[in-house]
Amino acid sequence: MSLKRKLIVSFVCCIVFPLVIISIFSFRLYSDEIQKTVVKSSIQSNEQFNKNLDTFLGMLSKLSEYPVKDSKVRSLLTKDYTTYEHPVYEKAMDRDEIKELLYTNINSYSRMINSVMLYKADTYELVGVTPDDSLNMSYNPSEEEWFKRIESFEGACTIVGVHKEFQLSPRGNYVFSVGRVINSTDLSEKVLGCIIINVKINDLEKLW
């Protein structure tokens, strides 16, 4: 073997091979670091999402107490329209008033709240809703499993989870809901109605 060839082989052994080994080691090292960083970031994002979700649900639970504490809303839920000369007109006026109350005391607290619905007990009549630009008045939620679940909690705040909402759309939009039964404040604890607060599923991604 010539001297030139020996020098080339020595160069390859002394320089190239170590570089290849170092490159392989560095690739594995940085790959591990990148993986650890990604995993750590994902865990932190999930933890932050859980915290934000807990805070948001706590707010919804608190907001759902509003009709229970408002004497005006409770009185409208028990109002007997058969005693009025123009019951349809009276109901329309009260529905507008309840809409304003619901928006001011619930919707306005978060842009993530898609809709709020207030139903009268027994008849399940929709006595208040916001927004009300598109309503499916033929819809009755009383047979829905998620509605029965809210009723079974007897006034405690209930997280419904994902379900289709048909009151504002006949086709049904997927929403995440919180609701509670509204009881009278006297000793009878008579059921007066039920409130539902809806959030569109797509809006939950804002909590990340």
Side-chain angles (χ1 to χ4, degrees), residues 12 53 153:
V12 170
L53 182 60
F153 276 73

Side-chain angles (χ1 to χ4, degrees), residues 150-166:
I150 292 174
E151 290 182 312
S152 69
F153 276 73
E154 300 179 343
C157 181
T158 310
I159 298 174
V160 175
V162 180
H163 66 97
K164 275 193 170 184
E165 188 281 302
F166 294 98

Side-chain angles (χ1 to χ4, degrees), residues 88-143:
V88 176
Y89 172 77
E90 193 69 23
K91 281 185 179 182
M93 294 296 291
D94 288 345
R95 187 178 288 115
D96 286 342
E97 183 176 3
I98 291 178
K99 173 188 173 182
E100 194 67 31
L101 291 171
L102 292 178
Y103 181 82
T104 302
N105 293 281
I106 298 180
N107 291 71
S108 63
Y109 280 86
S110 174
R111 292 183 178 180
M112 288 180 62
I113 296 176
N114 174 251
S115 59
V116 181
M117 298 166 187
L118 187 65
Y119 295 94
K120 195 171 184 178
D122 302 328
T123 61
Y124 300 103
E125 179 184 358
L126 184 67
V127 296
V129 59
T130 177
D132 64 353
D133 51 339
S134 175
L135 290 176
N136 177 17
M137 295 304 294
S138 63
Y139 174 67
N140 186 328
S142 61
E143 295 303 316

